[in-house]
Amino acid sequence: DELAQRLSILAKATKRTKSHFIREALERAIEYMEDAYLAETAYEDFIRSGEESIPLEAVERKFGLAE
């Protein structure tokens, strides 16, 4: 299959094992999924809290970042 072929070419070109790249890809994918899950959970918590959001423009003005 194409993916296996690409992995083989990459491993050969870099003199690293296929397992190295599979592990690296899996680690990156898991980190991405964890970040996405945490962001979704934080957003849901914020919505449930009923707190009001602060417009970006107000934050920029407060910290002297407004143009």
Side-chain angles (χ1 to χ4, degrees):
D1 112 313
E2 181 188 347
L3 190 56
Q5 183 179 6
R6 289 172 59 196
L7 180 59
S8 293
I9 291 168
L10 180 62
K12 185 176 180 181
T14 60
K15 295 181 173 57
R16 295 192 175 195
T17 64
K18 292 179 199 177
S19 296
H20 167 81
F21 290 106
I22 291 170
R23 180 178 183 86
E24 187 174 322
L26 187 56
E27 286 175 358
R28 288 182 185 190
I30 289 173
E31 286 175 9
Y32 172 81
M33 288 185 274
E34 287 171 335
D35 288 347
Y37 173 76
L38 291 174
E40 182 179 352
T41 302
Y43 177 71
E44 289 170 353
D45 290 347
F46 173 74
I47 295 298
R48 275 194 299 276
S49 76
E51 266 186 75
E52 288 190 34
S53 62
I54 303 170
L56 177 59
E57 294 80 14
V59 175
E60 289 175 334
R61 280 192 306 275
K62 180 178 180 175
F63 293 102
L65 303 172
E67 293 182 12

